[in-house]
């Protein structure tokens, strides 16, 4: 059963949203990815958000730029956690998206990651699921260990060759 819904308003969001999917793939978390515009096809969007719980989703990751209504509208309809990814925009560098997502009214929270923070959105979704899944928690601990080892290897190289030759 797919536990995470990944939804974006445009295919231009795919480079960022695919990073969330890649993390979920690495951790063995099933997901469904869709392109749905809350503004251009509101009926499709409402059906998606209203049916997400009965389809087994435990978390929705929603990416949006500019007005960035998709995450907030998901949170207004879907009763479980929603993670918003603000997309970088050419006009305001993504600050417009960020502000739109983090400024949700009281009672409609959206967990928000950094602008273009697809990987962290995938990790946050997995961490939410891991609160009731010991196997997934173990995979997250392994992932953290891999990150630690990568940093240690980089430092070892720096110590070996010096910063001038790095």
């Amino acid at each position: 059963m797919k536990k995470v819904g990944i939804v974006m308003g445009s295919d231009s969001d795919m480079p960022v949203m695919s990073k969330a999917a890649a993390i979920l793939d690495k951790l063995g978390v099933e997901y469904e990815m869709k392109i749905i515009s809350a503004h251009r096809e509101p009926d499709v969007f409402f059906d998606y958000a209203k049916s997400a719980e009965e389809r087994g989703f435990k978390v929705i990751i929603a990416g949006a730029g500019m007005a960035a209504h998709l995450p907030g509208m998901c949170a207004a309809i879907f009763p479980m956690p929603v993670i918003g990814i603000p997309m970088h925009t050419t006009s305001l560098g993504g600050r417009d998206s960020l502000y739109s997502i983090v400024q949700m009214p009281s009672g409609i929270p959206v967990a928000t990651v950094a602008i273009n923070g697809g990987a962290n959105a995938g990790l946050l979704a997995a961490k939410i699921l891991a609160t009731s899944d010991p196997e997934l928690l173990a995979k997250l601990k392994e992932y953290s260990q891999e990150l630690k080892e990568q940093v240690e290897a980089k430092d070892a190289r720096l110590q070996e060759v010096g910063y001038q030759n790095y």
Side-chain angles (χ1 to χ4, degrees):
M1 180 185 309
K2 293 176 176 56
K3 295 180 179 179
V4 178
I6 300 176
V7 64
M8 65 202 93
S10 170
D11 63 346
S12 64
D13 301 333
M14 188 61 72
V16 172
M17 302 308 283
S18 65
K19 291 177 182 174
I23 290 290
L24 296 175
D25 283 337
K26 180 176 180 60
L27 297 170
V29 175
E30 292 186 42
Y31 60 89
E32 171 188 285
M33 186 180 285
K34 307 266 301 168
I35 299 171
I36 301 172
S37 173
H39 297 117
R40 294 182 184 96
E41 48 184 7
D43 294 338
V44 173
F45 165 74
F46 281 113
D47 288 343
Y48 173 84
K50 284 182 179 179
S51 68
E53 180 184 8
E54 68 187 43
R55 290 187 295 128
F57 293 173
K58 304 297 182 200
V59 180
I60 291 177
I61 299 172
M66 299 167 68
H69 289 133
L70 194 59
M73 288 304 296
C74 283
I77 296 168
F78 181 65
M80 290 184 264
V82 174
I83 302 166
I85 305 175
M87 295 295 162
H88 183 273
T89 58
T90 54
S91 56
L92 297 173
R95 289 183 305 278
D96 48 345
S97 312
L98 175 64
Y99 294 155
S100 182
I101 296 172
V102 299
Q103 294 296 332
M104 290 301 297
S106 182
I108 314 293
V110 175
T112 309
V113 296
I115 296 167
N116 285 357
N120 273 351
L123 283 167
L124 182 54
K127 287 183 175 199
I128 291 168
L129 295 172
T131 62
S132 61
D133 184 338
E135 184 179 322
L136 181 55
L137 180 58
K139 289 178 183 178
L140 282 163
K141 288 177 180 180
E142 288 173 19
Y143 179 81
S144 292
Q145 182 62 31
E146 289 173 18
L147 293 178
K148 179 184 177 213
E149 290 169 4
Q150 289 172 9
V151 172
E152 290 170 345
K154 290 174 185 178
D155 181 58
R157 180 168 181 253
L158 172 64
Q159 301 311 313
E160 180 182 321
V161 301
Y163 78 91
Q164 302 90 342
N165 299 314
Y166 193 82

